[in-house]
Amino acid sequence: MSNEQEPAKPEDNLPQAVPVRRRRWAPSLVWLIPMVAALIGGWLAVHAVLSKGPVITIAFQSAEGIEAGKTRIKYKDVEIGDVTGVALSEDRKSIIATAELRKQAADYLVEDSRFWVVRPRVSGGGVTGLGTVLSGSYIGMDVGKSETRRSEFIGLETPPIINADLPGQTFYLRADNLGSLNTGSPVYFRRVPVGQVVGYELDAKGGYVKVGIFINAPYDHFVSANSRFWHASGVDVSIGANGLNVNTQSLAAIALGGIAFETPLADNGGVPLSDRNFILHETRDKALQNPDREMQPFRLRFRQSIRGLSVGAPVDFRGITIGEVTAIGVQYVPERKDFDMTVDIRTYPSRLDSLSRGGRITGKLSPQALVANGMRAQLRSGSLITGQLYVALDFFRDVPPARLVINKGMPELPTIPGDLEELQRVLQRIVKKLDAIPFDSIGQEANTSLKSLQQTLDSVKKLSDGVNGETLPKMTQTLEQLQKTLAAAQQTMKADSPLQQDVRSAAQEVKETARSFRALADYLDRHPEALVRGKEAQP
C-alpha cells in the first residue's frame, strides 16, 4: 500500500486518475420500433395465412358477366368470395374462373354444389336478375348435400329452378313427347300450383322423354303410388251429353304448358311410394282410366283406303273404346298382285270386364269363337268434318264365314268394308243400273209425245181462234142473259121480296087452316052426333 502512495506526492496538484468501469451494452430504444413492426408484420402474415379461404375454379362456356377483381360470389345474397382471375381453358372450349372464397365457406364446397352467373334473363316464365342491371353480374351458389369435398366445378348456364335446401320431393315422368313443357313449367294439383318442371332429357335410344318435376312441401305427400299425371297444356274441349265442356288449368298453362296430377280418392294417401317414376299421359281421361292388365294384339287387313286413320286411333266396340291402333303398314300380296293395308291394333279385354256386372266375360269367349259368331273389324268415320277413321269391332250376322288366322305369331282378325266403301259400292250399283236404262229410246218416245202434244195444242189454239171470231158474240149475249136471270132469281130469293112475303102469308093461312081442322076433328071425336044433329048451340 505504501509503494503506491509515494509516486503521488510530486504530483499532488494533479487530479488522480480514477479508473472508470466499462459499462455493459444495452439495447437502444430506437430498435424497439422495428421490432414492433416486425412483430406486427409477422402477426399479419400469420393472420393472413390462417384466414385465407379456399381457392376454386369454375368452368363456364363464356366469360359474359365475369370480371376478375369485380365479380363477387354470393350464397343467399351474402358475399362469400371474389373472382380473382379469368382464363381460357387449355382446349379453348370454355373459360376457367378462379375464385377465392372466405374461410367460412370452405364447408360449402362439396361435390353437388352448383354455380351460375346471375344476370338479367328473359324467359317464358318471367324476367329474372333485374337487380344486376345496376349492381353488375355475380356468381350465385347453391350448396349441395354431398359430403365429398371438391374444388373444381362446372358452372350452370341457366339458374337452377329449385335450391337444394328447398323442402319437397323430386319425381320423374315418362312421356311420349315433351309437348309444350319447358323448364319451370308449373305443376298443378286441383288447379293449385304445387311445383314445377326442373328438367327433361331424351332417352338414350330416343324412345321417350324423361321429365323431372319437383313438388313443394307440404304438397308432395299428395303423390302416392297410384297418382296419375297428364299434360295440362292448352285447352281441352269436349262435347258430351251435358253440352260443350272446356277445361284448362290456368292461362299460364295455356301459354307455357304445364302438368297436372290427381290421385284417385280410394288411393289418396294410402299407397306408399315404391318408385318415383310415373307415366305422363296426354289427357286427363286417359290418365284416369283403369290400368290395363291384359293386352291382346291383332292385325287387320284392308283393301280400301285408310286415309284418315292414324296411329293412336281408337278401337271401338259398340261405343266402348277397348284399344288403339299401334301401327299402319302395307303388304304386297303376290296372289292378287295387289296390296293389303295392314293395321296393327292393341285391345284391352279387361275394359269390358270392368264394365260387366256379371264378372269376367272375355275369358268365356276366345277370339276364334268371336270370329265364328260373326265378329269383324271395320273402318268407320269418326267425324264427317275431319274425316278421321277409327276401327270398329262388331258382330255381322250376314257376312261370309271366316276364321282367325295366326300369321307369324300375330292373330289376324277378318275385316269387312267400311261404311264409306259400302256406300261407294251402293252408289256404283246404282250407277250401273242407271247405265242400263235406255235413256235414248225414252228420249225419243218423249220427243214423239211432245210433238203430239204440240199438235194438240195447236188444234186447241185454232179452235180458240175460231171461237173468238164467230161464236164469241153469241156466247157473250148468252152469258149476259144468264147473268140477268141469276140476278132476277137472286132478287126473288131475297127475304124482303114480294114473293117471299106472299109465300109467308100463304104459309100462315095454311097453318091457321090446319089448326081449325084439328079443332074440328077433336070436336067430332067428342061429339060424333053433330054430323047428324048439327052443332049444339052454346048456352
Side-chain angles (χ1 to χ4, degrees), residues 405-422:
V405 177
I406 307 297
N407 189 359
K408 297 181 179 179
M410 177 68 81
E412 295 184 358
L413 276 177
T415 62
I416 62 174
D419 292 339
L420 293 178
E421 187 179 6
E422 187 64 22

Side-chain angles (χ1 to χ4, degrees), residues 304-323:
Q304 64 187 90
S305 172
I306 58 173
R307 178 187 293 272
L309 184 69
S310 59
V311 175
V315 177
D316 179 277
F317 176 71
R318 296 182 178 177
I320 301 173
T321 302
I322 61 171

Side-chain angles (χ1 to χ4, degrees), residues 16-241:
Q16 294 182 356
V18 178
V20 179
R21 288 187 180 180
R22 191 175 182 178
R23 297 181 59 184
R24 294 182 180 179
W25 179 84
S28 174
L29 291 177
V30 178
W31 292 99
L32 184 61
I33 296 175
M35 291 178 62
V36 171
L39 290 175
I40 293 175
W43 180 83
L44 291 176
V46 173
H47 181 269
V49 172
L50 294 177
S51 62
K52 185 177 182 181
V55 177
I56 63 173
T57 59
I58 310 171
F60 291 100
Q61 291 185 0
S62 70
E64 181 183 0
I66 304 174
E67 190 173 355
K70 293 184 178 179
T71 303
R72 306 287 186 263
I73 297 180
K74 295 183 179 180
Y75 173 61
K76 294 183 182 294
D77 286 338
V78 176
E79 291 186 11
I80 59 172
D82 303 290
V83 175
T84 58
V86 179
L88 287 173
S89 63
E90 295 181 357
D91 57 2
R92 294 176 294 178
K93 293 183 179 179
S94 60
I95 63 100
I96 305 298
T98 303
E100 182 179 344
L101 273 63
R102 309 289 186 268
K103 185 178 180 181
Q104 295 78 5
D107 295 337
Y108 304 161
L109 303 176
V110 292
E111 189 173 15
D112 55 348
S113 294
R114 298 175 291 181
F115 296 87
W116 66 94
V117 179
V118 180
R119 53 176 175 260
R121 299 175 188 272
V122 179
S123 63
V127 180
T128 60
L130 285 179
T132 60
V133 173
L134 299 178
S135 62
S137 302
Y138 63 90
I139 296 178
M141 179 183 183
D142 182 38
V143 179
K145 297 181 179 179
S146 176
E147 296 181 354
T148 304
R149 298 284 181 173
R150 190 173 182 179
S151 61
E152 297 179 353
F153 299 89
I154 298 177
L156 304 176
E157 295 304 319
T158 57
I161 301 301
I162 58 172
N163 296 326
D165 55 353
L166 185 66
Q169 297 186 63
T170 302
F171 303 94
Y172 299 97
L173 309 178
R174 178 172 174 170
D176 292 336
N177 59 77
L178 184 61
S180 57
L181 297 177
N182 204 342
T183 302
S185 296
V187 178
Y188 296 93
F189 178 72
R190 299 188 184 279
R191 300 182 186 275
V192 176
V194 297
Q196 53 275 323
V197 176
V198 296
Y200 56 86
E201 62 179 2
L202 190 63
D203 176 52
K205 297 182 179 179
Y208 61 90
V209 179
K210 186 177 182 180
V211 181
I213 63 172
F214 184 84
I215 306 297
N216 302 320
Y219 307 112
D220 54 339
H221 75 275
F222 292 131
V223 180
S224 69
N226 290 328
S227 294
R228 318 290 174 82
F229 293 81
W230 66 89
H231 279 284
S233 310
V235 180
D236 184 11
V237 181
S238 62
I239 300 176

